Amino acid sequence: MATTYAVEVAGISTIPTTQNSGGFQGARVRCFRATIPYDGQASGDDIVLARVPAGYTFAYGVIVASATAGASATIAIGVSGATGKYRTAATFTAANTPTLFGNAAAMDDAALTSAETVLATVGTASLPNSADFAVIELYYIAP
C-alpha cells in the first residue's frame, strides 16, 4: 500500500524532516462575528463584517438568521473585487438554522499577506426592512 501525505504535512516525510506550518497544524481558531440588522439594504450594497489581520487563513463560516432574508435577495461574502470569495451569492431562507459555508478555493489559500476587510454584498433584491437580523461568523486559523 502506498502512503501519501497531505500538503500541510509533506515535510514529515523528508530527510531532514521539515516543520509543519503552525498556521495549519496545531493552529488556533479565531472567530469574527457580525450581526446584520435587516434594514432594507439594496441590491449592490456592501455590509462590512470584519477586518481580518495578515497571517490568518479562512477555515469556514456560519450564517444564522432570525427570519428569512427573502426568496430573491442574495448574499455573497467576500472582499472588494471578489465578493463571492468565501460564499458565492445565494439566497438564505433558513430561519433559526445555523448553516455552514465556505468556498474551497478560499480555504486552500495561503495565509493573508495583508489585512483584508470582509464584506457581505446584497444582490438581486433588497433585504427585508424588519426587526429581524442575520448573524455571520467567520472562522480563521492562525498560528
Side-chain angles (χ1 to χ4, degrees):
M1 296 276 216
T3 300
T4 59
Y5 294 85
V7 172
E8 294 81 2
V9 295
I12 65 173
S13 67
T14 62
I15 298 176
T17 303
T18 57
Q19 294 293 322
N20 299 327
S21 168
F24 297 110
Q25 296 286 312
R28 296 175 192 256
V29 176
R30 310 295 172 119
C31 179
F32 296 83
R33 178 180 226 175
T35 301
I36 301 170
Y38 288 162
D39 196 20
Q41 294 93 333
S43 177
D45 284 359
D46 288 328
I47 303 163
V48 177
L49 301 178
R51 179 91 167 139
V52 180
Y56 284 44
T57 303
F58 181 71
Y60 61 94
V62 176
I63 184 170
V64 63
S66 62
T68 178
S72 349
T74 61
I75 300 172
I77 299 174
V79 297
S80 180
T83 57
K85 179 178 179 179
Y86 299 123
R87 179 182 191 259
T88 305
T91 59
F92 191 73
T93 58
N96 296 310
T97 306
T99 305
L100 290 171
F101 67 85
N103 289 333
M107 297 168 86
D108 74 350
D109 284 352
L112 296 174
T113 56
S114 60
E116 73 176 15
T117 301
V118 180
L119 309 168
T121 302
V122 180
T124 310
S126 298
L127 291 178
N129 195 354
S130 67
D132 293 305
F133 59 91
V135 176
I136 297 173
E137 293 179 335
L138 303 164
Y139 291 87
Y140 288 78
I141 53 176

